[in-house]
Amino acid sequence: MSKQMLTEAEWSLNVGSQAFPVSFLHEYAVGLLWDRLHGRGPVTVTMIDGNQSGDLMQGVDRVVIPDAMQPIGGCIPDLALLDANLRPVRVIEVIVTSPPTDEKMEKLERLKERGVEVVLVPVRGEVEVKALVGEQSNVESPNWGPYAPRTQRRADGTVHELIHALTQCSPDTRRQLVRILNELESLDSLYPLSAINPKKTAVVRQANTD
């Protein structure tokens, strides 16, 4: 069993406001999806009914995070995927603890009636966070820091060489490496949000409470 990175209380931490609470888990999941949707290649997710979605980026030119100033058809989904004419192709709602309220579901249903695809994505805990990231393993994703994609690919190659060496080194050397890596096992290290991610501030806020 893999090590739990955050406690339930840390995942449930309110990173919104008292009037409009939102959990760290929700904001982090939206941030992970935002990064995936700004990567390259097709993007699919496991939906609330257990089925796999189609390519979320099909017909999409821009990905936005709507707010009260820029709703989508009177609704504020977690993510909106727009075509080249800035018309919504599909919207994504992240389900953390319970389905959207009846009022919001009615608004989502009205969007569906207008031809907008509605995708409900369950991210109810750490296991589903890791699964969400795991689905992107073959996708070239956005830059996570001040490094060009070519630099990142070269670094990835070096790590792959290290992985190969680990299969041949002595157990004592491997244990030394494990001790070092355990010190680096943090959420922001293993499942980072990109430097330009709009949800990055929620990560910083959560880290400052630790």
Side-chain angles (χ1 to χ4, degrees):
M1 179 178 297
S2 60
K3 179 181 178 182
Q4 184 173 349
M5 292 180 294
L6 296 180
T7 65
E8 293 299 322
E10 289 170 330
W11 280 120
S12 302
L13 179 71
N14 179 19
V15 294
S17 63
Q18 291 301 317
F20 300 100
V22 60
S23 70
F24 174 73
L25 173 60
H26 178 274
E27 295 296 88
Y28 205 82
V30 173
L32 290 173
L33 280 169
W34 190 92
D35 274 342
R36 288 190 61 186
L37 294 166
H38 284 82
R40 297 181 182 178
V43 180
T44 62
V45 294
T46 301
M47 300 182 294
I48 193 69
D49 60 5
N51 293 322
Q52 200 74 4
S53 72
D55 179 13
L56 297 180
M57 289 303 293
Q58 184 175 2
V60 173
D61 185 72
R62 183 177 300 182
V63 179
V64 299
I65 297 180
D67 57 23
M69 299 297 292
Q70 294 181 311
I72 304 295
C75 182
I76 306 177
D78 291 320
L79 292 156
L81 286 63
L82 314 179
D83 64 17
N85 296 316
L86 302 184
R87 295 185 63 82
V89 174
R90 61 186 55 86
V91 296
I92 300 175
E93 191 73 19
V94 173
I95 309 301
V96 172
T97 55
S98 57
T101 63
D102 291 342
E103 179 182 1
K104 190 162 191 178
M105 281 304 300
E106 289 178 6
K107 293 180 179 179
L108 291 172
E109 285 297 328
R110 285 198 290 270
L111 285 178
K112 289 174 66 175
E113 292 171 359
R114 299 177 188 177
V116 179
E117 182 183 5
V118 175
V119 181
L120 304 181
V121 181
V123 186
R124 293 159 293 198
E126 194 166 292
V127 171
E128 288 178 323
V129 167
K130 294 176 179 178
L132 185 64
V133 176
E135 291 171 337
Q136 71 173 352
S137 58
N138 294 321
V139 178
E140 184 175 349
S141 298
N143 181 19
W144 278 285
Y147 307 108
R150 182 178 299 177
T151 301
Q152 291 185 344
R153 285 194 293 271
R154 188 162 56 244
D156 286 346
T158 301
V159 172
H160 285 308
E161 292 177 2
L162 172 61
I163 292 172
H164 178 69
L166 283 172
T167 65
Q168 303 179 57
C169 71
S170 68
D172 182 59
T173 299
R174 197 175 298 122
R175 285 192 293 271
Q176 292 180 45
L177 179 62
V178 168
R179 284 194 292 271
I180 294 173
L181 292 180
N182 281 338
E183 298 174 3
L184 304 177
E185 193 173 8
S186 68
L187 183 68
D188 201 34
S189 174
L190 297 178
Y191 304 96
L193 300 184
S194 65
I196 60 173
N197 195 300
K199 297 298 184 179
K200 188 73 172 180
T201 54
V203 177
V204 174
R205 190 179 305 175
Q206 193 276 341
N208 287 339
T209 65
D210 290 347

